[in-house]
Amino acid sequence: MKKVYTNAADALNDLLFDGMTIAAGGFGLCGIPELLLQAIKKRGTKDLIFASNNAGVDDFGIGVLLQTHQVKKMISSYVGENSEFMRQYLSGELELEFTPQGTLAERMRAGGCGIPGFYTKTGVGTLIAEGKEHKDFDGETYILERGIFADLSIVKAWKADTTGNAVFRKTARNFNPPAAMCGKICVIEVEEIVKPGELDPDSIHLPSIYVHRVIQGHHEKRIEQRTIRAA
Amino acid sequence: MAWDRNQMAARAAQELQDGWYVNLGIGIPTLVSNYIPEGIEVTLQSENGMLGMGPFPAENEIDADLINAGKQTITELPHTAYFDSATSFGMIRGGKIAMAILGAMEVAENGDLANWMIPKKLIKGMGGAMDLVAGVGRVVVVMDHCNKQGESKILRQCTLPLTGQRVVDRIITNLGVLDIEKGGLRIIELAPNVTRDELHAATEARIIE
């Protein structure tokens, strides 16, 4: 079973279709699948629904797919820092399902674990609770949130072996493991592909069962807020 | 003389207790880490997947894979641990984080908090704020007492969409410290040279004596 593909376009070749739901890893611009997003842009796949914590910036991350009007809907917790997103949203071109960050992560994790819904206190009494089932447990009110089952997961890891076992680096892990888990098929892009045995089996962050295709490439890894301490 | 931003952060740092795991929001709450009292060890959580957040990096330490929840570059500490976002919010939802210190647009006398949205004006999203206020042990708000128009931000009822219902425990403003209690707010402390009358005058919410 060959999992290693030559590049992003090759790995996504037979997987993309209009109207599909894609779960994408990353937080801000950190740990985003930048190469796979560029390949989706080149293919021109339309009406995409993205479950992703953020929408990138105007010219990087999911932002590149907003410029080409390929996105129909975002399921996100925070979409600031993207003026094109705001323009499309306010003009009604783009749907937005605001989901609290932890609820979004758990919706992905739950979907990947075969759990269609879970109850959480997050958002009770707020706009996001409207229309959702409420249920009391031990005197506290919770709302029902649904697991996310995506057609495709796109994820950025640091290293993977050729079977798909993957490790992440520092805070670039973020949404990548839960996003990887909730898709029918998961494609990951990494900085380095190694042979089986080169990653410590006790330190695998994402086991190969969740990973169907792997590509290696050069990442820009753009920094959103370069902050340094006074010398 | 009311407290300035740094003095508010220093006062908020007095809320910390030894051994606590704490989440600091963006803005004035971030400054709290500069004033952690001597002899108190707290571990800062960054909800994008890190415990043990260190200071901003020197130029040669900048790492694109290491940012805080405000997307700023940061550093790690010897006891740092990294994890994914589902695990991170498991800690938050599960009540493992002792306290969150957050900014706010409005707080109501019953503890309702609004800090994520101004309809038709500011629609960026709640990020992790709803999860934090619903899940952590104690919520402390640090904010200016009044908005730029001079109107009280501490209200009988919030006018903006809520981040959480009855979630705030304590408010630290430029004028003093107030606790949310049954029936209204209790003044815990006044900033230097601020009188009770001045605090009353600047507060729309009910203050109980």
Side-chain angles (χ1 to χ4, degrees), chain A:
Chain A
M1 175 74 197
K2 169 184 158 276
K3 288 193 181 177
V4 177
Y5 285 67
T6 50
N7 57 45
D10 182 30
L12 292 173
N13 184 42
D14 55 340
L15 300 180
L16 300 176
F17 58 92
D18 291 349
M20 73 189 304
T21 298
I22 301 176
F27 178 88
L29 302 182
C30 181
I32 59 171
E34 51 181 278
L35 305 174
L36 292 161
L37 288 168
Q38 285 291 349
I40 294 170
K41 180 189 175 181
K42 284 206 182 95
R43 263 289 285 281
T45 317
K46 285 195 174 53
D47 298 324
L48 298 171
I49 299 170
F50 266 97
S52 168
N53 189 53
N54 312 94
V57 292
D58 284 334
D59 64 340
F60 200 62
I62 290 174
V64 301
L65 300 174
L66 293 168
Q67 284 180 344
T68 49
H69 298 269
Q70 288 172 257
V71 183
K72 182 173 81 175
K73 179 179 174 181
M74 293 292 310
I75 304 170
S76 304
S77 84
Y78 188 83
V79 293
E81 338 315 338
N82 191 323
S83 54
E84 177 60 15
F85 183 100
M86 269 305 133
R87 195 198 63 70
Q88 289 187 24
Y89 174 62
L90 293 173
S91 71
E93 293 166 56
L94 184 68
E95 289 172 58
L96 172 59
E97 180 182 332
F98 268 133
T99 302
Q101 195 175 141
T103 296
L104 179 60
E106 190 63 15
R107 289 180 66 191
M108 290 180 179
R109 196 196 72 85
C113 295
I115 298 171
F118 59 92
Y119 291 99
T120 177
K121 268 194 288 190
T122 301
V124 170
T126 74
L127 287 178
I128 66 123
E130 287 175 8
K132 289 175 183 162
E133 184 197 321
H134 286 59
K135 188 165 178 166
D136 286 3
F137 294 90
D138 304 322
E140 294 249 32
T141 303
Y142 295 74
I143 53 173
L144 177 66
E145 294 282 3
R146 300 293 307 270
I148 290 173
F149 300 88
D151 296 305
L152 172 70
S153 302
I154 56 172
V155 157
K156 155 75 173 56
W158 179 35
K159 291 181 185 179
D161 69 23
T162 53
T163 74
N165 288 313
V167 292
F168 301 87
R169 194 169 166 275
K170 304 186 188 288
T171 56
R173 193 180 324 181
N174 57 58
F175 273 83
N176 282 296
M181 291 165 70
C182 74
K184 284 183 201 138
I185 292 192
C186 171
V187 182
I188 72 169
E189 55 179 72
V190 301
E191 294 172 46
E192 187 183 355
I193 296 176
V194 300
K195 289 191 201 120
E198 287 187 36
L199 299 176
D200 174 8
D202 266 333
S203 303
I204 302 294
H205 299 139
L206 183 66
S208 66
I209 194 165
Y210 295 111
V211 177
H212 303 92
R213 299 182 182 185
V214 185
I215 60 153
Q216 181 179 321
H218 174 72
H219 292 82
E220 178 186 335
K221 297 214 280 185
R222 196 181 291 185
I223 294 173
E224 207 164 337
Q225 305 275 352
R226 181 178 290 268
T227 316
I228 55 170
R229 64 172 176 262

Side-chain angles (χ1 to χ4, degrees), chain B residues 15-24 36 40-46 50-53 77 79-81 83 88 91-92 95-101 132 135-139:
Chain B
E15 303 291 316
L16 301 168
Q17 291 185 22
D18 191 37
W20 272 9
Y21 290 79
V22 173
N23 185 293
L24 303 179
I36 297 170
I40 300 264
E41 270 182 42
V42 295
T43 301
L44 301 180
Q45 195 227 26
S46 190
M50 178 183 199
L51 282 172
M53 182 166 53
L77 299 169
H79 65 287
T80 292
F83 33 84
S88 182
M91 292 171 196
I92 291 167
K96 314 299 177 188
I97 305 292
M99 186 167 76
I101 303 179
L132 279 161
V136 303
R138 188 169 166 77
V139 174

